[in-house]
Amino acid sequence: MSRLMYFLVGGALGAVGALLFAPRTGEETRNMVADYAGNVANDAQAFGAKAAENIQNGVQQVAEKGQEAFNNMQNAASDAATAAADKNDELRAKIEAARDRIAAQVKQNAQDSADAVEKAAPEVADKAKDAVDEAADKVAKGAEKVKDEAKKAK
């Protein structure tokens, strides 16, 4: 049993004992017991009403707090979704900017390579022409030597 229950039982036993050992007449004692019982009943009724009111208030407060917590969670979820969408858009923009920078760099590198080839082409062509001329001279000299050798051999 709870402490409150022990207290109430002890109080009731004490009251009964006091009535039994009191130097009063039976009628006076019955009237006193009836008055006391009426007071206890009224007190119990008041206590029950107060307890019911407190329980109702508690239930109402819990419901309000629950609704408030639910609303806060909905707002937090909405804010999180908005933040995620904003970050997603920001990341997409950064990726697109990086893609544009890379494309511009590749285009610049290709143009630089084309310019370098165009600049070097005449020099390479001159060297190739010189090499061909030199080779032609050597072939011509070699052919002449072969002719001379062929004449000598005849």
Side-chain angles (χ1 to χ4, degrees):
M1 284 206 283
S2 69
R3 291 182 180 181
L4 177 64
M5 190 63 149
Y6 284 123
F7 177 75
L8 292 175
V9 169
L13 288 176
V16 168
L19 291 174
L20 290 176
F21 294 109
R24 292 189 177 83
T25 65
E27 190 176 329
E28 289 176 346
T29 302
R30 282 191 298 275
N31 287 336
M32 194 168 94
V33 168
D35 289 343
Y36 181 76
N39 289 339
V40 168
N42 290 338
D43 290 346
Q45 192 175 16
F47 179 77
K50 184 68 174 174
E53 181 182 334
N54 288 341
I55 289 171
Q56 189 175 12
N57 288 340
V59 168
Q60 185 177 2
Q61 287 176 354
V62 167
E64 289 172 359
K65 292 291 183 181
Q67 184 63 41
E68 183 179 330
F70 178 75
N71 291 341
N72 289 342
M73 289 299 290
Q74 275 187 323
N75 291 339
S78 176
D79 292 347
T82 301
D86 291 346
K87 286 292 181 183
N88 188 25
D89 292 344
E90 182 180 321
L91 185 58
R92 284 183 190 275
K94 286 181 180 180
I95 290 171
E96 191 62 35
R99 185 179 293 146
D100 291 345
R101 283 193 307 272
I102 290 169
Q105 186 64 45
V106 166
K107 183 178 177 181
Q108 182 63 43
N109 289 349
Q111 184 62 44
D112 291 348
S113 295
D115 291 347
V117 167
E118 190 177 318
K119 182 178 179 183
E123 184 180 329
V124 170
D126 287 343
K127 285 183 183 179
K129 185 177 183 263
D130 290 345
V132 168
D133 289 344
E134 186 178 325
D137 286 343
K138 286 184 181 180
V139 168
K141 283 182 187 177
E144 196 153 321
K145 277 186 186 180
V146 169
K147 248 193 212 180
D148 287 343
E149 290 294 321
K151 279 186 191 179
K152 284 184 191 179
K154 261 192 190 184

